[in-house]
Amino acid sequence: MNSPLPETLLSRLLGAERITVFTGAGVSAESGVPTFRGNEGLWKKFKPEELANLSAFMKNPDLVWEWYEARRRIIGSVQPNAGHRALADMERLVSSCTLITQNVDNLHRRAGSRNVVELHGNIERNYCLACGAVYTGADLPHTGGVPRCSRAGCNGLIRPDVVWFGEMLPEDEWEGAVRASASADVFFSVGTSAVVYPAASLPMMAKQQGAWLVEINPEQTTLTPSADLFLQGLSGELLPSSVNALKEGR
Ligand code: BJW
Ligand code: ZN
């Protein structure tokens, strides 16, 4: 059982005009989507650094594609959890609420969040490396192995529209994330190990600009010593109780 939420959290939430939430793989863990790192990470066979980069894809496109296909199958078979749903509720309760996610699994949108900044792309979109043509799951050519572009004369490799190591984050999303972090009164960092940059710089950016920094995670991270409040536990429990407290306080 979690201990009751501290009063300071409630008063900070009630006094906040702008709340920004930054999420990572841990927020989808209770839906059954494996995280990347740590003991519970299913991808222990491969480090994300080994598969989530362009040179791995060029060297062995079928292997990398199959990793994404396996993940799409998992994501397609699971549902958003109570943590995702609480964040969708939070958006409806707070006048300015931005959700910045590193996740590519689309579960925040499926839960009803609308103001979502996807920093690392979306696994449901793909594009041709040669001509840039966009493919969703439904219009992908199914050939076995990595699909190839069906535009006349192209035949380029199709890759998932996600951000791999060594690649720049999408400019508009990054700028939106920086704006929402710098202007936040309360900033939540939820379910992320906060080791992958530049995304991991957002919580400290928010704090340096005056936000009250709350971290939700069952484990301590490198961010924990800087958090104004560390709520140790599962996001599927702590996010609903935070949002319920906000509902009751209003
Ligand atoms: C729960 C829970 C529950 C569990 N409730 N919580 C040296 C220093 C600094 C930076 C670099 C460096 N060397 C290289 C870099 C740059 C590099 C980087 O940061 N590397 C570090 C690993 C060292 N970054 C990049 O390359 C980025 N681009 C860039 O920098 O561009 C500039 C540039 C351009 C050209 C050349 C050089 C630089 C791009 C990074 C892209 C990351 N992409 C991935 C894959 C996306 C696609 C896909 O999904 O396949 O993004 S990697 C992977 O990590 C994925 C995630 O979004 C990201 C973060 O992981 P996350 O979400 O934190 O997950 P976990 O598993 O790490 O943590 C889960 C947490 O949940 C844990 O803490 C658990 O305890 C917790 N948890 N259950 C709450 N129920
Ligand atoms: Zn093409």
Side-chain angles (χ1 to χ4, degrees):
M1 257 242 318
N2 290 311
S3 46
L5 293 175
E7 277 298 317
T8 46
L9 174 62
L10 183 58
S11 63
R12 290 282 179 171
L13 288 177
L14 288 172
E17 274 175 29
R18 292 170 193 271
I19 299 181
T20 299
V21 184
F22 172 58
T23 65
V27 92
S28 297
E30 288 156 84
S31 291
V33 182
T35 61
F36 290 93
R37 302 171 183 82
N39 293 337
E40 300 303 315
L42 178 90
W43 315 119
K44 267 194 256 156
K45 229 167 93 186
F46 302 108
K47 287 190 178 152
E49 290 80 353
E50 288 167 9
L51 290 183
N53 72 77
L54 184 61
S55 49
F57 182 67
M58 297 314 282
K59 212 164 118 193
N60 196 343
D62 287 339
L63 172 71
V64 175
W65 186 259
E66 184 42 46
W67 187 51
Y68 281 94
E69 282 291 274
R71 292 171 57 195
R72 283 192 191 101
R73 283 193 290 271
I74 294 174
I75 291 163
S77 70
V78 304
Q79 297 302 323
N81 64 52
H84 296 109
R85 290 194 298 272
L87 291 176
D89 281 352
M90 190 190 276
E91 188 178 287
R92 290 186 278 267
L93 284 168
V94 178
S95 57
S96 176
C97 181
T98 305
L99 174 51
I100 305 168
T101 188
Q102 299 167 89
N103 300 344
V104 300
D105 60 24
N106 219 22
L107 288 174
H108 285 304
R109 285 187 200 279
R110 283 172 58 192
S113 286
R114 289 293 165 260
N115 193 16
V116 185
V117 178
E118 291 176 328
L119 283 183
H120 291 163
N122 189 307
I123 200 168
E124 292 182 6
R125 288 191 310 265
N126 305 274
Y127 66 92
C128 168
L129 265 180
C131 75
V134 173
Y135 290 86
T136 60
D139 49 33
L140 271 182
H142 286 288
T143 43
V146 65
R148 296 212 167 238
C149 183
S150 54
R151 273 200 186 169
C154 182
N155 204 38
L157 288 170
I158 295 174
R159 60 162 283 180
D161 189 359
V162 298
V163 181
W164 283 332
F165 286 106
E167 295 180 336
M168 305 297 282
L169 273 54
E171 206 174 310
D172 288 353
E173 279 75 3
W174 177 246
E175 282 170 8
V178 168
R179 266 198 311 276
S181 304
S183 61
D185 300 314
V186 176
F187 186 101
F188 283 88
S189 179
V190 188
T192 177
S193 57
V195 294
V196 174
Y197 285 84
S201 63
L202 294 171
M204 288 311 290
M205 192 185 289
K207 186 176 164 86
Q208 278 152 12
Q209 297 294 318
W212 197 66
L213 178 58
V214 185
E215 185 182 35
I216 296 181
N217 201 307
E219 310 286 339
Q220 299 210 5
T221 71
T222 52
L223 194 62
T224 311
S226 306
D228 294 299
L229 176 66
F230 175 54
L231 293 174
Q232 187 157 28
L234 306 177
S235 52
E237 294 173 3
L238 289 164
L239 284 172
S241 42
S242 303
V243 174
N244 285 339
L246 181 59
K247 276 182 194 160
E248 282 158 22
R250 292 236 145 156

